[in-house]
Amino acid sequence: MIFATVGTQLPFHRLLLALDTWAALNPSVQVVAQTGRTSASYNHMRTFPQMDQRQFAETVARARVVVAHAGMGTILTALETGKPLILMPRRADLGEHRNDHQIDTAAEMASLSNVTVAADTQALCTALNRAMSMPPVQAGRGADVAPPQLIEAVRSFIWADQYPQARP
């Protein structure tokens, strides 16, 4: 199963349409998406406007691949679970966000072993085909993807609004 999330604040039709296109070409693979508020409908994947934390965590745990905008909450979740993560950052020039901070975030995360960045539909479909051809990740593999200190620093910065002090 592939799980996609675009956050809950802004619609992200370009990513969802690309994923729906891939799902149409790969009907044997279940695709589930948290779409946020949108009036669009997608014919080849199961969609939810929003999931609660438990449903989100369970869906990520069942997923073989996670596809997302470059939101830090999803990136942290993928790091913790070790799931392959395909990021398609929102673009300000397409009206998908106020600025291009997601492009910068995705570029930084691209150095992680489980992260692939896709700029467009073709790159997303190529990344999905590659990810689905790989053996599934074993549960709990996340510990060797990113150091726990990095995960905690990012978590603190985002959720607790406390950035750890630099060590001398």
Side-chain angles (χ1 to χ4, degrees):
M1 185 262 285
I2 293 172
F3 175 55
T5 180
V6 298
T8 58
Q9 295 180 3
L10 300 169
F12 195 4
H13 184 63
R14 182 169 60 99
L15 183 150
L16 294 170
L17 183 60
L19 188 59
D20 197 51
T21 300
W22 185 90
L25 298 171
N26 296 277
S28 64
V29 179
Q30 181 185 23
V31 178
V32 176
Q34 177 179 264
T35 62
R37 281 180 265 154
T38 180
S39 59
S41 62
Y42 303 95
N43 295 326
H44 306 286
M45 53 189 187
R46 187 170 179 206
T47 60
F48 298 86
Q50 187 167 358
M51 295 179 169
D52 62 32
Q53 276 189 312
R54 183 188 56 78
Q55 185 182 21
F56 187 92
E58 289 174 1
T59 306
V60 168
R62 290 192 348 253
R64 185 166 171 182
V65 178
V66 177
V67 177
H69 67 142
M72 289 307 297
T74 305
I75 292 170
L76 283 173
T77 300
L79 288 174
E80 290 174 334
T81 61
K83 299 286 180 173
L85 175 63
I86 300 171
L87 296 175
M88 179 185 270
R90 297 174 190 267
R91 292 177 34 189
D93 66 321
L94 298 177
E96 296 168 344
H97 216 301
R98 294 175 291 278
N99 58 44
D100 282 330
H101 76 276
Q102 288 200 355
I103 292 173
D104 297 335
T105 300
E108 286 295 319
M109 296 299 126
S111 64
L112 299 174
S113 63
N114 66 325
V115 176
T116 302
V117 177
D120 56 31
T121 299
Q122 183 175 357
L124 178 65
C125 291
T126 299
L128 280 168
N129 290 336
R130 185 178 318 117
M132 293 303 289
S133 71
M134 305 295 284
V137 172
Q138 300 296 320
R141 185 180 165 265
D144 66 348
V145 175
Q149 297 86 356
L150 173 61
I151 293 173
E152 188 54 38
V154 174
R155 178 181 289 118
S156 296
F157 179 73
I158 294 170
W159 298 113
D161 198 29
Q162 299 173 358
Y163 193 72
Q165 297 298 315
R167 295 187 181 145

